[in-house]
Amino acid sequence: MPRPHPSSAIQKPSKLHPRNHHQGRYDFARLVAVDSALAVFVMRNEYGESSIDFADPAAVKALNRALLKSEYGILEWDIPEQQLCPPVPGRADYLHHLADLLTSTNKGIRPKKNLLSVLDIGTGANGIYPLIGTSEYGWQFTATDINAKSLANVQRILDANPALADKISLRLQPSANAIFNSIVGDDDWFDLSMCNPPFHTSIAEAQAGSQRKWNKLGKDKLAGAAEPMLNFGGRDAELWCPGGELAFIERMITESASIPGRCFWFSTLVSKSDNLPALKAALKRVKALEIKEIAMSQGNKQSRFLAWTFLTPSQQAAWKKLRW
C-alpha cells in the first residue's frame, strides 16, 4: 500500500474556543468572591471598569490563581517569583483545540477520557496544562521539565489538590539537549504530546521582548518605573534556548521520528509564523504522514499549533480500537 502524502489543514477561528470558560471580560467581582487575595490588585481603569495592572507579576499571578480556583477547582496554586505566569485563557484554548483534534480523528466522537494519556513537554513551575486538562477532560498527564525545582513546585501544587494528583505524574528530563529522549519509555503510549517551547534565542532577546511589552503598556513613560521583568515573570529555559523556537521544535521533530509509534498526535505551539515553512519542511523530511496547522486567537493576538502523526490509517484504526 503506498504511503499517503502529508496533508496540511488550517482552521481560522476568530475568538476563543467555544468551550473556553473565559469568554468576554473578567468578572472581577465574582473572582474576588472566590479568592479574596485578588481584591488588593483590582482597580478602576481609565474607562471606569474593574481591572488589574497586567504589568505587575503579583497581580497577574493573583488573577490566574482566582481563575484556576473559580473555573477548574484548583484549590491552591502558586509559583516562585520570576517564574513564568501563564495566561490561563490561552493555555485552555490549546487544550480545547487538541480535544477537537482527537474528536475529528475519531469520526466526531470524543475518545474515552479515562484512557487518554498526554505528555506535556516543559511544564514549568506552573503545571498549567496538566491542571486544566485533567480538570476539563479527565486526561492522564505526564509532565516533564529539565528543572528539578520547577517540578518540585508542581508537586507542591498537586499535594494541595489531591483530587487531581493521581492523574498527573512528573518526570525530570536529565539532558538539556533532549526532549523525548530519556523521557518516553518502551511501555509508554501517548495519545497526545504538547509543548509551549522557549521562543527567544538569548536572554538579551527575551529582555528586549519584555521591554517592548512595557512600552506598549506605557510603562516607559512612568518616572521611576522598575526594570521590566522577563515576560512579567519567566526565566531561563522557559523563555529562551540556543537557536530559539525554531531550533527547539526542529529538534522535537527529529526526536519524534525516532518514536513514531509511541504517540498518536505530536504537537507544539508555534509563536512565530515565520517559522512555519521551515518546520513543515522538517516534518516532510522525517516523513510525517499528516501535518495539521491549527489557528487560535485570543483577542487581537493570533497563535497556532502544529500537530503531526506518523501512524498509517491501519495503525490509527488499531490505536483507536485499543485505546479509544
Side-chain angles (χ1 to χ4, degrees):
M1 178 178 178
R3 294 170 66 90
H5 293 290
S7 62
S8 179
I10 303 177
Q11 303 170 9
K12 296 183 177 179
S14 59
K15 57 183 180 180
L16 290 172
H17 190 282
R19 290 196 301 276
N20 197 311
H21 295 284
H22 310 288
Q23 312 288 344
R25 297 182 180 277
Y26 293 123
D27 186 343
F28 282 100
R30 176 173 172 270
L31 291 172
V32 167
V34 170
D35 191 342
S36 60
L38 176 63
V40 68
F41 299 105
V42 178
M43 58 187 182
R44 294 288 178 182
N45 63 19
E46 58 185 303
Y47 305 106
E49 301 165 334
S50 295
S51 186
I52 64 169
D53 181 357
F54 285 92
D56 179 356
V60 172
K61 182 165 71 171
L63 172 61
N64 280 348
R65 184 189 299 114
L67 290 172
L68 290 169
K69 189 173 184 178
S70 67
E71 302 300 331
Y72 305 104
I74 310 301
L75 303 178
E76 298 291 339
W77 181 85
D78 197 9
I79 54 174
E81 291 185 7
Q82 295 287 306
Q83 294 290 336
L84 185 64
C85 193
V88 170
R91 298 301 189 260
D93 242 37
Y94 186 6
L95 288 156
H96 290 308
H97 282 285
L98 284 174
D100 285 352
L101 176 61
L102 289 176
T103 300
S104 67
T105 306
N106 198 39
K107 297 182 179 180
I109 301 172
R110 191 177 302 163
K112 297 176 182 179
K113 63 183 181 180
N114 61 325
L115 295 179
L116 289 183
S117 181
V118 184
L119 178 64
D120 178 25
I121 299 295
T123 199
N126 55 74
I128 202 73
Y129 289 128
L131 293 171
I132 296 177
T134 298
S135 175
E136 282 286 89
Y137 293 107
W139 295 343
Q140 299 276 346
F141 274 82
T142 299
T144 76
D145 206 275
I146 64 171
N147 190 320
K149 291 182 179 179
S150 291
L151 290 181
N153 191 74
V154 177
Q155 186 60 58
R156 285 191 288 271
I157 296 171
L158 296 179
D159 291 342
N161 295 275
L164 302 179
D166 64 341
K167 291 182 174 292
I168 301 171
S169 62
L170 308 180
R171 293 184 189 177
L172 179 67
Q173 170 57 263
S175 172
N177 297 316
I179 297 174
F180 298 115
N181 296 343
S182 304
I183 288 293
V184 179
D186 292 340
D187 295 328
D188 286 322
W189 304 90
F190 294 105
D191 302 281
L192 297 166
S193 75
M194 61 189 307
C195 180
N196 181 20
F199 43 88
H200 294 300
T201 61
S202 67
I203 188 74
E205 184 180 290
Q207 289 173 329
S210 288
Q211 183 63 62
R212 286 192 296 272
K213 291 181 180 180
W214 273 57
N215 291 347
K216 288 180 181 179
L217 290 168
K219 294 298 179 180
D220 57 322
K221 301 175 183 177
L222 299 179
E227 288 295 316
M229 299 176 70
L230 288 180
N231 207 38
F232 312 126
R235 62 193 298 177
D236 304 330
E238 291 181 306
L239 293 178
W240 71 274
C241 69
E245 175 184 80
L246 179 60
F248 186 94
I249 300 177
E250 286 181 334
R251 186 163 70 247
M252 178 186 294
I253 290 170
T254 298
E255 290 191 20
S256 72
S258 69
I259 51 168
R262 294 294 167 189
C263 181
F264 195 118
W265 284 110
F266 296 91
S267 79
T268 180
L269 289 174
V270 181
S271 175
K272 299 177 181 179
S273 60
D274 290 347
N275 289 334
L276 288 170
L279 294 174
K280 291 179 180 178
L283 285 166
K284 291 178 181 179
R285 283 196 300 272
V286 298
K287 296 181 172 54
L289 295 186
E290 287 188 69
I291 304 168
K292 294 183 181 290
E293 178 190 343
I294 311 295
M296 303 181 291
S297 65
Q298 294 94 45
N300 294 325
K301 180 182 177 183
Q302 297 297 315
S303 61
R304 79 287 303 161
F305 68 87
L306 280 178
W308 64 96
T309 184
F310 297 98
L311 300 183
T312 65
S314 60
Q315 289 172 325
Q316 291 187 25
W319 184 292
K320 288 182 280 189
K321 183 177 181 180
L322 179 65
R323 296 181 56 84
W324 297 358

